[in-house]
Amino acid sequence: MNAAPAPEAVPPAARFDTLVTRALAEDPHRYTRDRLIAEVDAGRHDGLLLRAAAGLGGLPKAEERRAAITTIDYAFERLVLPNLSLEQAQGYCAALEKTVRMSEASGLDRPGPIWLDTVHHTVLVSALFQFAANLRQVRPCDRVVLLHDDSQPDPRFEIVSALMAHLLGIALVRQPLRGPWFRDLATTSTPHTLIVSLADMPPARARRRPMRCELHAAGGIRLTVAVENGSAAFARRLGANHLVLDYPDADRIRLAPFQTERPPACPLVDWVFWPRLVAMPAVA
């Protein structure tokens, strides 16, 4: 298994996701998406794709292409989803269960608020809605708190917020990780609160003992990356039931109690941050 240094080391100008975002910002139409895919197929961006990353030269070409198209579609989604009706958005979220199955679900029996760590899989929005819908079937839940450090709200979460309120009677609240955020969270949390923490953020600063995220791909490729995650301490202080929702296989979701020795897993080609790994040297 290879280990990669902190993903933030790659300059934004050298990343495929940045190129895609800029192209769609300049010309936000379907034909821009199709043009970007054609450029990938023509080899125009080979130096920014996964096989150019250290230790990933053995990744099948088809998997590299899938990762590139997934990144393009993930960015294009930001333009499309806000225009969907609630019925269309519900169908979009429900489609997740046709391709990814919940193979393990444990830890929901403990009382108290739930602190849920998850990762930046490209199906994150759908997974969050489907998890909340399934959670309501086994225990009360009236509030989902999404911890984030984004200054610009992702429109995908706006449509999920509307879906949760309309179909589930659940309020989705965005909690910025600024100021006395933990005090505010502790004050408002109840046994019926679900707290969602994205546990695979690239480190904002050097850490002596960084947490890890495990990435896997076709061909037996596995690597770990350093991530920013202080969830264990915060969940413990809150007295919350600390769970992890991750993706140990390309078609499988796992829900299980948090374990320090088992980092969250995600398919490499579906990890939103994979472009940051390109051109970075692997370390033992």
Side-chain angles (χ1 to χ4, degrees):
M1 180 182 295
N2 293 326
E8 83 282 3
V10 179
R15 297 204 319 251
F16 183 68
D17 56 345
T18 303
L19 179 150
V20 169
T21 300
R22 288 175 178 171
L24 287 170
E26 293 171 1
D27 198 359
H29 296 93
R30 175 61 183 252
Y31 56 74
T32 304
R33 171 205 178 262
D34 296 343
R35 173 176 61 80
L36 287 167
I37 293 175
E39 290 174 359
V40 168
D41 291 339
R44 291 268 309 270
H45 306 301
D46 282 357
L48 301 181
L49 303 184
L50 268 173
R51 283 157 54 93
L56 294 178
L59 184 73
K61 185 68 175 177
E63 286 293 279
E64 179 185 64
R65 181 179 187 271
R66 187 166 78 83
I69 294 177
T70 297
T71 295
I72 294 168
D73 284 342
Y74 185 74
F76 188 64
E77 252 185 17
R78 294 177 63 102
L79 308 176
V80 175
L81 255 62
N83 299 319
L84 298 182
S85 67
L86 287 179
E87 182 179 1
Q88 290 172 324
Q90 183 184 13
Y92 167 85
C93 291
L96 170 70
E97 297 185 346
K98 298 178 181 178
T99 57
V100 184
R101 59 188 173 87
M102 178 74 78
S103 64
E104 177 184 345
S106 60
L108 290 174
D109 51 343
R110 179 183 164 188
I114 293 175
W115 185 295
L116 184 72
D117 281 350
T118 192
V119 294
H120 281 83
H121 192 296
T122 51
V123 301
L124 170 63
V125 170
S126 298
L128 179 58
F129 175 77
Q130 292 302 109
F131 178 78
N134 292 333
L135 181 64
R136 279 290 305 271
Q137 297 179 18
V138 297
R139 58 181 289 168
C141 178
D142 58 14
R143 191 164 179 265
V144 175
V145 179
L146 177 65
L147 304 179
H148 72 95
D149 58 4
D150 269 337
S151 56
Q152 297 182 344
D154 189 322
R156 279 174 280 250
F157 288 111
E158 298 303 317
I159 191 67
V160 168
S161 177
L163 275 179
M164 285 187 179
H166 181 73
L167 298 177
L168 306 178
I170 295 176
L172 175 62
V173 179
R174 293 169 55 89
Q175 174 63 63
L177 299 175
R178 297 190 296 269
W181 69 269
F182 184 78
R183 183 189 66 190
D184 295 343
L185 181 65
T187 301
T188 57
S189 293
T190 74
H192 300 162
T193 301
L194 168 64
I195 301 153
V196 179
S197 173
L198 297 170
D200 61 342
M201 292 297 295
R205 56 192 177 278
R207 296 173 65 89
R208 184 172 299 175
R209 297 182 61 188
M211 299 296 289
R212 298 285 174 175
C213 178
E214 182 180 285
L215 306 173
H216 53 85
I221 292 174
R222 306 188 80 85
L223 69 155
T224 60
V225 291
V227 295
E228 186 87 26
N229 180 13
S231 289
F234 290 123
R236 188 166 52 249
R237 287 173 58 188
L238 194 64
N241 184 10
H242 191 183
L243 306 177
V244 178
L245 183 74
D246 67 349
Y247 306 81
D249 292 300
D251 61 350
R252 186 162 67 94
I253 297 178
R254 172 178 61 196
L255 175 71
F258 169 82
Q259 298 179 38
T260 304
E261 65 275 13
R262 186 169 74 180
C266 186
L268 173 61
V269 299
D270 295 313
W271 193 47
V272 170
F273 296 132
W274 72 253
R276 301 179 184 228
L277 300 176
V278 179
M280 292 170 52
V283 296

